Amino acid sequence: MEMIQRPRRLRRNPVIRSMVRETRVSPDSLIYPLFVCEGKGIRHEIPSLPGQYHYSVDTLQKAAEETLQAGVHAIMLFGLPGEKDEKGSGAYAENGVIQRAVRELKKNFPELFVITDVCLCEYTSHGHCGMLRGCEVDNDATLPLLAKTALSHVQAGADMVAPSDMMDGRVAAIRRTLDQNGYTDIPILSYAVKYASSFYGPFREAAGSAPAFGDRKSYQMDFHNRREALREAALDVEEGADILMVKPAMSYLDIVRECRDAFSLPIAAYSVSGEYAMIKAAAARGWIDEEKIVCEAAAGVFRAGASILETYYAKELAQFMKEGRIG
């Protein structure tokens, strides 16, 4: 049988497979999420996220050192305050847990790129991402507090802020506030496309951010919608976002690709807590090869068009990349 086209010629051995690989990844593309809480000497494993921990500000320093040693140079901080109130005042307190954590990290590890999550859900007594008017989240009343939170993080030394609340107009409010205070060079990583997803369950336990009533479907996106994602992303581009995030990653790779094709900004994807927990659970039972699954899932995110991946497996992935197990 005569065949001119034989795709297998380019799969014959590892050298040629690597040579023609379409998707190439680097530890520089990874962001590692970390949870910081009040107290001292705390390093408590999160039950639903095996291998992930709650750190107090002092123990967070060791975690940051280990992250850098693994080859990951960017982290995202999520805060757990000691007290909560209806206005989420711990989010923008000058001496809040995130503000203190950022100052210590930048003092001890100036080379570490520190990104902060900007949202109120961890800080409000009701667990919603904004101010309430009755039982509804008041979009416009929330914007000044989000901007105030972002500014307080940047004043503490944050290198980038990442609003995850899904309030309309929050990127513009944050950009305006940062610019007015002289922080024109601080980028915004916008959770531009954040779906109301069941994959967030373990995170809500980890961050203590489950809503006390109702759900977040009035502000996070309906997972049935694709065109709406592009509208949300386009609005954030107009408002001054520098990077667009799609969240979650695994079930939304089509949206990652849509955003990659539609926008020139870098596209990030967040492989969320539920994805991590499912892999951990299956691996613990011997049903899957954890390393191979992690590498395959990450490659899928980059293949879909993401240039940045936020993942609880960031340290392991960095090691796999160094060893050539994912290229």
Side-chain angles (χ1 to χ4, degrees):
M1 181 179 179
E2 292 187 7
M3 284 191 290
I4 296 175
Q5 298 294 335
R6 291 182 180 267
R8 287 183 58 189
R9 293 178 188 134
L10 301 183
R11 304 176 195 147
R12 290 185 61 238
N13 57 55
V15 173
I16 197 165
R17 287 196 297 270
S18 179
M19 186 184 302
V20 301
R21 183 163 291 156
E22 298 173 23
T23 303
R24 298 182 183 275
V25 297
S26 161
D28 295 333
S29 63
L30 300 172
I31 298 173
Y32 187 44
L34 288 165
F35 298 92
V36 56
C37 62
E38 295 285 2
K40 290 187 177 181
I42 295 173
R43 184 183 180 271
H44 294 159
E45 189 170 31
I46 301 167
S48 58
L49 293 173
Q52 306 302 312
Y53 298 85
H54 288 135
Y55 298 98
S56 51
V57 172
D58 56 334
T59 62
L60 181 67
Q61 308 309 303
K62 179 62 174 177
E65 182 180 13
E66 292 172 352
T67 302
L68 285 168
Q69 289 174 346
V72 178
H73 296 90
I75 62 169
M76 174 98 68
L77 292 181
F78 297 91
L80 287 80
E83 297 181 358
K84 304 185 181 192
D85 58 37
E86 288 189 358
K87 294 185 177 181
S89 58
Y92 42 87
E94 181 180 355
N95 206 35
V97 65
I98 287 294
Q99 290 79 357
R100 298 198 318 275
V102 171
R103 284 194 288 267
E104 285 299 306
L105 287 170
K106 295 307 292 185
K107 178 178 71 175
N108 295 322
F109 308 100
E111 71 276 27
L112 183 67
F113 194 83
V114 178
I115 310 165
T116 57
D117 178 76
V118 176
C119 193
L120 302 182
C121 62
E122 296 110 306
Y123 304 89
T124 54
S125 53
H126 47 75
H128 279 283
C129 299
M131 297 301 93
L132 295 183
R133 186 176 59 225
C135 291
E136 298 292 327
V137 174
D138 188 331
N139 188 96
D140 293 7
T142 300
L143 299 183
L145 299 185
L146 294 170
K148 188 175 181 180
T149 300
L151 179 61
S152 72
H153 292 177
V154 172
Q155 288 173 332
D159 297 293
M160 183 157 65
V161 291
S164 62
D165 55 282
M166 288 301 285
M167 298 297 116
D168 294 339
R170 89 272 202 213
V171 172
I174 291 171
R175 183 75 273 158
R176 182 167 54 251
T177 297
L178 293 181
D179 289 356
Q180 289 173 349
N181 284 272
Y183 296 106
T184 57
D185 58 341
I186 295 295
I188 297 174
L189 189 168
S190 170
Y191 288 66
V193 183
K194 183 178 180 180
Y195 286 92
S197 172
S198 296
F199 284 100
Y200 304 148
F203 175 91
R204 289 177 180 172
E205 176 193 341
S209 62
F213 63 89
D215 54 41
R216 297 188 173 128
K217 292 182 179 179
S218 69
Y219 43 103
Q220 294 179 359
M221 286 180 51
D222 184 341
F223 60 76
H224 298 85
N225 295 352
R226 179 182 60 83
R227 292 190 300 273
E228 184 186 14
L230 296 179
R231 182 187 183 198
E232 285 280 8
L235 287 170
D236 284 3
V237 172
E238 292 175 9
E239 292 178 15
D242 299 283
I243 301 172
L244 303 174
M245 174 92 86
V246 176
K247 180 183 179 184
M250 183 172 66
S251 293
Y252 300 88
L253 296 183
D254 59 322
I255 306 302
V256 172
R257 170 47 59 185
E258 292 270 8
C259 290
R260 173 68 288 146
D261 291 343
F263 305 105
S264 60
L265 295 185
I267 304 299
Y270 192 159
S271 183
V272 298
S273 59
E275 300 171 50
Y276 175 87
M278 288 192 300
I279 293 174
K280 279 291 185 183
R285 288 160 175 78
W287 295 342
I288 60 172
D289 184 314
E290 183 176 11
E291 177 188 322
K292 291 180 179 177
I293 289 286
V294 169
C295 291
E296 184 175 341
V301 174
F302 290 113
R303 188 181 64 245
S307 49
I308 299 167
L309 173 60
E310 182 169 357
T311 171
Y312 300 95
Y313 277 113
K315 293 191 293 184
E316 291 88 344
L317 276 168
Q319 187 62 39
F320 298 156
M321 291 173 186
K322 290 177 185 177
E323 297 172 358
R325 288 184 267 178
I326 174 174

